[in-house]
Amino acid sequence: MYPFIKIFSIEIPSYGMCMLLGFALVLVLSVIRSKKKEYPLYWDDMLAVTAIVMCTSIFGGYVLYMLVTYPKELMSGDFYVLTQGGIVFYGALFGGVAGALFAIKMFKINISVFEESVVPFIPLGHAIGRVGCALAGCCYGMEYYGPFAIYYPADNP
C-alpha cells in the first residue's frame, strides 16, 4: 500500500495523482483523436471542459459515496460524516457527464465530435484511477495469494 508517493520532501497522494493522470491522458488523447474530424476540439476549450468535468465528477462521486455509505447518519442530521472521504465511480460518471454536457453547451462544442473523441478513452482514464485505488489501499476484492498478488503491509504473510 502506497497512499503517498514521496518526491524529495513532498508527499503526493497516489490516488489523486492517478486521477489527475487519467484525466490528463483522456484530454490529450481525445484532442489528438479529434484532429481527424471536420470540427476538431481545441486545447483551450478542452482544458476548460476537463476542469469542469473534474470538479463535477469528484462532487458526484462524493455525493453518491455519502448516500450509499452513510444514509442513516445523513437522515438523522449527523453531518460529521461529511468529513469522511470516498468516491463512488457511478456518481463520478454521472457527475462528469452532467458537467460535460454543461461545458460543451457553454463553449459551443460539437457534441458528436466531443462524444466520438472522448468516450473511447474514458475506460483508460478510469483504469489509471483504479491503479490509484490499489496504491492507496482503498479498494479490495477477493483474497488471492498466487502470482501477481498484491500484499499490503498489515496483510503480509
Side-chain angles (χ1 to χ4, degrees), residues 25-73:
L25 190 60
V26 171
L27 166 69
V28 169
L29 292 175
S30 60
V31 170
I32 291 170
R33 181 179 168 99
S34 78
K35 295 298 180 196
K36 300 173 185 170
K37 306 293 178 194
E38 184 179 347
Y39 303 104
L41 302 173
Y42 297 104
W43 286 106
D44 53 347
D45 290 342
M46 282 304 293
L47 192 58
V49 169
T50 302
I52 292 170
V53 168
M54 284 175 68
C55 293
T56 57
S57 62
I58 291 171
F59 178 76
Y62 184 72
V63 167
L64 189 57
Y65 173 78
M66 286 294 139
L67 293 174
V68 168
T69 308
Y70 302 109
K72 293 177 185 174
E73 291 85 347

Side-chain angles (χ1 to χ4, degrees), residues 69-89:
T69 308
Y70 302 109
K72 293 177 185 174
E73 291 85 347
L74 292 173
M75 291 299 172
S76 66
D78 293 334
F79 295 114
Y80 74 91
V81 295
L82 295 177
T83 62
Q84 306 301 311
I87 295 176
V88 174
F89 172 71

